[in-house]
Amino acid sequence: MASSFFRRPSLLRLKAGFTPTSLTNHEPAARNSITFNISGTLPRHYAVQVPPSPGLKEPVTSPRDTDKYWQKVKIWENVTKEDFLSYRWQGANTIERQDKLLHFLEKVLPEVLPQPANGDLVSPQTMKRDDFLADVLDGMRLAPMSIRLTPHMLSVVDWTNPIVDPIRRQFIPLKSTLVRDLPRLALDSLYETHDSPVPGLVHRYPEKVLFLATSVCPVYCRFCTRSYAVGGPTESVNKTPTRPGRKRWEAMFEYIEKTPVVQDIVVSGGDSYMLHADHLRLIGERLLAMPNVKRFRFATKGLAVCPMRILDHSDGWTEAFVELSNKGRSMGKQVAMHTHFNHPKEITWVTELAARRLFEHGVTVRNQTVLLRGVNDDLETMSTLIRRLADLNIQPYYVYQADMVRGVEDMRSPLWKILELEKHIRGTIAGFMTPSFIVDLPGGGGKRLANSFETYDRASGISTWKAPGVTGDEVFEYHDPVI
Ligand code: SF4
């Protein structure tokens, strides 16, 4: 099965003049710490040299082409590598408001946009830019997630054909593509708030807890499983953002300390990338000091959406992570990073350098992909993504069936699609690099292998499941989207 977006030309026709200035709450960071030299031995390729930083082995180099891919976006055609690789620059140019996104789109989109190849998205042959902007505005008004996008992600979108672009589809809603919600859909489809003994802590599996350190992320995904809490409020969903805070975390730490059966912690949110290095250290050191905690992982989409932070020595996040990883190893405890790539286009040479840096410093990185319609629900795209991740020494750990979350029904695929993908992918790549294809059961049943359903009626789209080790004889249902 071939993916049309692999064959699309990526020429951009853009307008100049916009300089977004929104600031995130990231730490300020000095620049001028990364230099680039053209390698005499590798024509057409660059070797990137990163100066030493205390405690980490250097330099990290890559033989990959350092294409200035961001310069295809007209407003960034004069942005230097030094600036683009600066985490501070990425933060300062992150788009995190509806009006700023519309302003950006006005500058980068052609006047007329092409019709999508698959006619189920919108009907006209072409669409005027103003109509597209109105469609985005209407989509944002209905969306459960607010807007936030990093320059790295904005630079890998094909703005000449945004309607079908797999990156645009993940982050920028179009009202014309929305599909009516099934009655069973919910904002908290996994019932996380039902299994929360302490605010911010989810305890569902006997030995594992989910530690929600913050509710903010470097980007906001339309399909977020925590649409009920992550990001700022939208016109359709009221939310109170939860910032990182020691006082709130203390109650969570106490619960873990007083619950000896808990051995395994997922530090998530929100996103661990939004923690300051000191906060990352505080959480990691505190967990390492607990005798009952044997392992933990920090969940972050950062490597996928802003790999610059991993390379930027003026920011201490990566150093703090590597220190925790090394300390954990010396204590016989695993400290890992769980990240979230959904499409091969998200991987650039900057990503490769960042993944290489983590690998060279012994950090275990695993990836969790969400299966999304029109993004990665074809064999070629999913196979390519898994191989690219394997080549970066990022373990392709899970591919999730999209959760039954409200407001993003246009992005879900039926269960048979994930079953078909697994059938065709398993055996084509080393077993330890083949992901588990998973359904996270609505209503709190937990994660099950997609092919372990009790029943599946393709005509009605309803599958049933049990999770005997977690919820006994209780039966859970997953409902395919009506498409
Ligand atoms: S990065 Fe993760 S937590 Fe944040 S919006 Fe995306 S899916 Fe949700």
Side-chain angles (χ1 to χ4, degrees):
M1 203 185 312
S3 163
S4 60
F5 28 80
F6 275 114
R7 296 192 297 270
R8 252 193 341 258
S10 58
L11 296 174
L12 299 178
R13 299 280 182 269
L14 306 164
K15 303 269 182 191
F18 171 60
T19 308
T21 55
S22 60
L23 287 167
T24 69
N25 61 350
H26 299 170
E27 289 174 294
R31 282 182 280 174
N32 305 321
S33 60
I34 299 177
T35 58
F36 300 87
N37 294 322
I38 297 175
S39 165
T41 56
L42 290 169
R44 293 185 61 253
H45 290 83
Y46 296 95
V48 177
Q49 297 187 342
V50 185
S53 67
L56 296 192
K57 191 178 59 158
E58 302 297 350
V60 177
T61 60
S62 169
R64 301 289 298 182
D65 193 343
T66 55
D67 171 35
K68 296 177 185 173
Y69 57 94
W70 61 92
Q71 292 187 353
K72 292 177 193 158
V73 181
K74 185 83 172 171
I75 60 169
W76 293 328
E77 66 182 357
N78 295 320
V79 173
T80 64
K81 282 181 202 162
E82 182 185 53
D83 277 344
F84 195 74
L85 288 191
S86 151
Y87 180 53
R88 184 182 189 186
W89 189 93
Q90 289 284 322
N93 290 279
T94 288
I95 289 180
E96 52 184 351
R97 284 207 331 248
Q98 293 186 5
D99 58 331
K100 295 210 168 185
L101 177 65
L102 292 172
H103 192 33
F104 172 89
L105 294 175
E106 212 174 347
K107 298 295 180 187
V108 304
L109 290 173
E111 282 184 23
V112 178
L113 304 171
Q115 172 197 6
N118 52 343
D120 63 341
L121 295 174
V122 287
S123 51
Q125 295 293 310
T126 56
M127 191 181 213
K128 289 182 183 164
R129 180 175 58 207
D130 286 350
D131 293 337
F132 181 85
L133 293 175
D135 205 358
V136 170
L137 182 59
D138 290 343
M140 291 190 295
R141 285 182 173 143
L142 296 171
M145 295 299 291
S146 51
I147 290 293
R148 182 178 249 168
L149 272 158
T150 58
H152 171 74
M153 291 307 264
L154 290 164
S155 297
V156 296
V157 174
D158 178 1
W159 291 113
T160 65
N161 199 2
I163 295 174
V164 296
D165 186 274
I167 312 302
R168 193 286 302 163
R169 279 179 65 73
Q170 294 179 64
F171 300 100
I172 303 175
L174 290 178
K175 187 187 175 192
S176 62
T177 66
L178 298 181
V179 177
R180 192 167 53 85
D181 282 349
L182 290 176
R184 293 287 287 254
L185 302 186
L187 284 178
D188 179 15
S189 72
L190 304 182
Y191 282 22
E192 290 185 336
T193 44
H194 295 229
D195 290 329
S196 185
V198 174
L201 205 72
V202 178
H203 191 181
R204 169 165 303 148
Y205 303 96
E207 296 181 354
K208 186 176 91 174
V209 296
L210 180 58
F211 186 107
L212 300 175
T214 176
S215 68
V216 292
C217 302
V219 295
Y220 291 129
C221 314
R222 290 183 53 215
F223 49 88
C224 181
T225 198
R226 260 168 233 131
S227 293
Y228 66 93
V230 166
T234 68
E235 286 184 42
S236 63
V237 182
N238 193 23
K239 305 176 200 179
T240 309
T242 312
R243 299 283 171 189
R246 295 175 190 222
K247 195 172 166 196
R248 189 173 62 85
W249 296 340
E250 201 46 52
M252 296 151 75
F253 289 136
E254 274 178 28
Y255 178 86
I256 299 169
E257 278 170 329
K258 289 177 180 166
T259 316
V261 70
V262 172
Q263 300 186 346
D264 189 349
I265 318 292
V266 181
V267 182
S268 185
D271 193 299
S272 299
Y273 229 44
M274 302 307 275
L275 299 173
H276 291 187
D278 287 348
H279 283 158
L280 194 72
R281 244 187 224 102
L282 183 151
I283 293 173
E285 293 281 358
R286 191 70 199 273
L287 294 176
L288 282 173
M290 294 182 198
N292 55 314
V293 174
K294 308 294 185 205
R295 65 197 75 83
F296 56 90
R297 37 251 161 92
F298 287 99
T300 173
K301 199 169 167 64
L303 178 59
V305 302
C306 189
M308 297 75 195
R309 190 174 202 186
I310 305 292
L311 299 169
D312 190 336
H313 295 282
S314 61
D315 177 86
W317 194 91
T318 306
E319 280 73 8
F321 199 104
V322 171
E323 280 170 32
L324 290 169
S325 166
N326 289 340
K327 184 168 181 179
R329 189 174 298 107
S330 73
M331 297 169 71
K333 301 186 178 194
Q334 191 184 81
V335 179
M337 178 185 293
H338 280 199
T339 193
H340 176 189
F341 288 86
N342 287 332
H343 194 280
K345 272 179 73 166
E346 295 159 9
I347 299 171
T348 71
W349 60 269
V350 184
T351 324
E352 291 170 3
L353 284 175
R356 172 95 171 269
R357 186 163 197 238
L358 294 170
F359 183 65
E360 288 190 352
H361 290 292
V363 176
T364 298
V365 186
R366 305 188 186 97
N367 184 70
Q368 304 187 164
T369 292
V370 182
L371 180 65
L372 298 167
R373 182 163 169 254
V375 174
N376 57 17
D377 65 336
D378 64 277
L379 184 57
E380 182 179 336
T381 304
M382 188 59 80
S383 297
T384 303
L385 176 63
I386 291 168
R387 283 175 169 75
R388 294 294 311 273
L389 292 168
D391 290 348
L392 297 180
N393 294 297
I394 297 171
Q395 188 196 347
Y397 176 42
Y398 280 156
V399 173
Y400 283 109
Q401 180 74 358
D403 293 327
M404 291 172 57
V405 176
R406 262 171 41 195
V408 283
E409 200 61 344
D410 58 309
M411 302 199 79
R412 282 205 305 136
S413 302
L415 181 68
W416 60 260
K417 183 72 75 108
I418 198 169
L419 299 173
E420 284 294 311
L421 284 172
E422 174 172 21
K423 188 189 291 182
H424 286 92
I425 288 171
R426 189 162 295 285
T428 66
I429 189 166
F432 68 95
M433 283 295 178
T434 303
S436 295
F437 293 78
I438 294 290
V439 177
D440 209 343
L441 297 179
K447 299 174 186 60
R448 310 303 294 173
L449 287 174
N451 58 19
S452 69
F453 54 82
E454 302 285 323
T455 63
Y456 179 32
D457 177 1
R458 275 180 70 155
S460 68
I462 297 175
S463 46
T464 60
W465 312 73
K466 285 184 182 173
V470 186
T471 50
D473 284 335
E474 191 174 351
V475 176
F476 298 87
E477 289 185 0
Y478 184 86
H479 290 214
D480 286 350
V482 179
I483 50 176

